């Protein structure tokens, strides 16, 4: 089962992808998490991508595609995966399709989570993430039991630097210009499912599982 989560920054891709990964026992692959892991551990790749991410721009396709291909080539990805934050450009989507075609497989379903820009800005300002285990919270919509502390591992929660309002606006512009065209790209392949992402998290997840179970 090869799934792609599509949607604006803050639409809820990561939140849903984590739940899908758990329910269907497939790895959750977030290119944003992979980049952040490389930045915090100070790798060459981390140094290379930091300036783009800080400005809310996309990391160049060649770098991103190479990292993603390396990840999906690993053993745990044989049974499938849920991609979160990849592809973000037509070029990335084509690179993925070509690579899968060579092994005689293809993407099974693309789940597009639709949220208006105004709700996105509100979501990003309230997003908190755990540097320890990668869990994501929202100060209003998905608050941790104890304020500022991760339920799962007890680490202190942080706001991502690129969730600052100025950067969020850049990321939204980039989304509309470069990522939104993927909606028609996958619609033409007949594998696109659209979901209203302004519903509560559990309702969004209910629709996603209904789509997957009907596949
Ligand atoms: P969000 O889910 O809030 O949009 P991500 O964690 O997916 O954020 O991405 C954070 C940043 O990492 C992006 O703004 C971009 O700079 C970079 N990034 C992540 N995935 C990609 C990708 N597929 N192509 C290019 N840049 C990416
Ligand atoms: P993405 O991975 O698309 O950038 P996240 O899953 O990190 O998005 O969600 C962005 C923020 O919005 C987080 O703070 C998350 O807790 C919150 N969130 C996610 N889904 C919903 C929802 N259905 N309703 C309200 N808030 C949500
Ligand atoms: Zn944690």
């Amino acid at each position: 089962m090869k799934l792609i989560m599509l949607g604006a920054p803050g639409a809820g891709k990561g939140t849903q992808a984590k739940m899908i990964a758990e329910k269907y026992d497939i790895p959750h692959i977030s290119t944003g998490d992979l980049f952040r892991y490389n930045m915090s551990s100070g790798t060459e790749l981390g140094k290379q991508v930091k300036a783009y991410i800080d400005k809310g721009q996309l990391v160049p396709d060649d770098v991103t595609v190479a990292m993603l291909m390396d990840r999906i080539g690993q053993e745990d990805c044989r049974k499938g995966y849920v991609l979160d934050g990849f592809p973000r450009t037509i070029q990335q989507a084509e690179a993925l399709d070509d690579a899968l075609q060579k092994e005689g497989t293809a993407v099974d379903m693309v789940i597009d989570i639709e949220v208006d820009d105004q709700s996105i800005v509100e979501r990003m300002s309230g997003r908190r993430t755990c540097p320890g285990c990668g869990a994501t919270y929202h100060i209003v919509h998905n608050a941790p039991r104890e304020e500022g502390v991760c339920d799962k591992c007890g680490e202190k929660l942080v706001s991502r630097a690129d969730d600052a309002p100025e950067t969020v606006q850049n990321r939204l512009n980039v989304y509309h210009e470069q990522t939104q065209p993927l909606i028609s790209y996958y619609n033409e392949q007949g594998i696109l499912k659209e979901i209203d992402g302004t519903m509560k998290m559990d309702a969004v997840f209910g629709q996603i599982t209904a789509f997957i179970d009907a596949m």
Side-chain angles (χ1 to χ4, degrees):
M1 180 157 64
K2 299 186 176 68
L3 307 174
I4 291 177
M5 306 304 294
L6 203 59
K13 301 181 300 296
T15 301
Q16 299 297 331
K18 286 190 180 78
M19 295 196 276
I20 294 170
E22 197 172 320
K23 181 171 164 87
Y24 297 96
D25 194 27
I26 49 175
H28 164 214
I29 301 177
S30 156
T31 39
D33 285 350
L34 291 172
F35 286 137
R36 280 185 290 278
Y37 175 75
N38 276 278
M39 291 194 292
S40 65
S41 42
T43 66
E44 255 329 293
L45 176 68
K47 288 175 196 152
Q48 215 180 334
V49 302
K50 186 176 187 317
Y52 298 101
I53 292 178
D54 285 349
K55 280 185 262 184
Q57 292 170 356
L58 293 185
V59 172
D61 286 333
D62 54 346
V63 176
T64 306
V65 167
M67 177 181 75
L68 192 274
M69 291 304 166
D70 180 66
R71 179 65 189 87
I72 64 176
Q74 287 168 24
E75 182 63 34
D76 64 330
C77 288
R78 285 212 192 161
K79 57 189 171 195
Y81 38 76
V82 51
L83 300 183
D84 158 20
F86 184 97
R88 266 180 154 94
T89 64
I90 294 281
Q91 218 186 321
Q92 291 179 12
E94 287 173 349
L96 178 64
D97 280 350
D98 288 350
L100 294 181
Q101 203 177 9
K102 283 197 187 106
E103 2 171 291
T105 65
V107 175
D108 296 296
M109 190 184 285
V110 177
I111 300 158
D112 175 37
I113 308 183
E114 300 261 349
V115 176
D116 57 285
D117 285 12
Q118 209 182 326
S119 312
I120 294 288
V121 175
E122 190 261 343
R123 282 192 187 180
M124 305 299 245
S125 64
R127 172 157 64 182
R128 298 291 181 274
T129 54
C130 174
C133 72
T136 303
Y137 300 88
H138 189 281
I139 53 173
V140 178
H141 307 300
N142 184 24
R145 282 192 295 272
E146 189 186 336
E147 194 186 318
V149 179
C150 181
D151 289 348
K152 299 198 177 83
C153 75
E155 283 259 344
K156 210 164 160 270
L157 301 177
V158 298
S159 286
R160 273 166 50 182
D162 63 341
D163 279 350
E166 319 80 73
T167 317
V168 168
Q169 195 50 58
N170 279 342
R171 290 164 63 199
L172 275 172
N173 294 343
V174 166
Y175 168 75
H176 290 302
E177 281 165 26
Q178 305 198 54
T179 307
Q180 224 167 12
L182 292 175
I183 295 176
S184 7
Y185 179 88
Y186 287 119
N187 197 24
E188 280 159 24
Q189 294 190 7
I191 54 172
L192 184 78
K193 300 288 179 202
E194 294 190 286
I195 291 181
D196 175 5
T198 63
M199 300 184 299
K200 287 203 186 316
M201 289 172 199
D202 290 347
V204 175
F205 189 57
Q207 289 218 342
I208 293 177
T209 55
F211 282 133
I212 295 176
D213 295 339
M215 194 158 73

